[in-house]
Amino acid sequence: MEMLLTDIQADTRERFAAAVTAHRHAMYRAARVLLDSDADAEDAVGEAILRAWQSFGRLREERALKSWLLRITVNCAYAHHRKEARVTYTDDLEPLAGGAEDPHDLGLWDAVCRLPEEQRIVTVLFYYEDMPTAAIAKTLGVREGTVRSRLSRARDRLRTLLKED
């Protein structure tokens, strides 16, 4: 009996590790578009992995694993953003001459990162993670029509941003 329990625990650990390994890039991208730095995104992903492990036994459908991990990651990123929003490190700010915008080349990823937060997250989940709108709606806790309208506004804004460049 003891051997059987150990085997089940090992199998659970292996399944969880495989899931995190398979979806770690998606988790990072989801956190990164919501947070201002790589370090903050890594912190949010780490917190998400911890929370996911603590709740892994309650996951009902293995096929919903990616959406479930992304929802936890997005929630952790939002929580991290709220916590960090109270602190501004002026040492990290690099003022541009005359307050002008940075004139460097604007690539697609840079344009996506300049979208408003609600448009940015749906864009990344839809185009970079190939999630259907229904799964995005479930992940973000909004209606599917809301996801579609945010995607539409994001596409319009991206056209404008990329034409400006």
Side-chain angles (χ1 to χ4, degrees), residues 17-29:
V20 168
T21 300
H23 303 300
R24 69 184 186 273
H25 295 298
M27 294 170 71
Y28 176 79
R29 274 192 294 270

Side-chain angles (χ1 to χ4, degrees), residues 3 15 79 90 100 104 120 134 153 155:
M3 182 65 159
R15 284 189 359 255
T90 57
H104 75 281
R120 193 169 54 227
R153 285 193 298 268
R155 283 188 292 267

Side-chain angles (χ1 to χ4, degrees), residues 1-13:
M1 181 73 170
E2 189 175 314
M3 182 65 159
L4 186 61
L5 186 58
T6 304
D7 289 344
I8 292 171
Q9 290 171 336
D11 181 56
T12 301
R13 281 192 303 270

Side-chain angles (χ1 to χ4, degrees), residues 98 117 135 150:
E117 185 176 291
R150 288 178 182 177

Side-chain angles (χ1 to χ4, degrees), residues 5-68:
L5 186 58
T6 304
D7 289 344
I8 292 171
Q9 290 171 336
D11 181 56
T12 301
R13 281 192 303 270
E14 288 174 17
R15 284 189 359 255
F16 181 78
V20 168
T21 300
H23 303 300
R24 69 184 186 273
H25 295 298
M27 294 170 71
Y28 176 79
R29 274 192 294 270
R32 184 60 181 94
V33 298
L34 295 173
L35 298 169
D36 296 329
S37 73
D38 293 342
D40 288 346
E42 290 169 2
D43 288 346
V45 169
E47 178 68 24
I49 291 170
L50 175 64
R51 288 184 187 180
W53 173 247
Q54 292 169 339
S55 302
F56 191 62
R58 293 190 302 259
L59 178 64
R60 291 185 208 119
E61 294 183 42
E62 292 262 342
R63 62 189 167 98
L65 188 68
K66 182 178 181 180
S67 294
W68 181 73

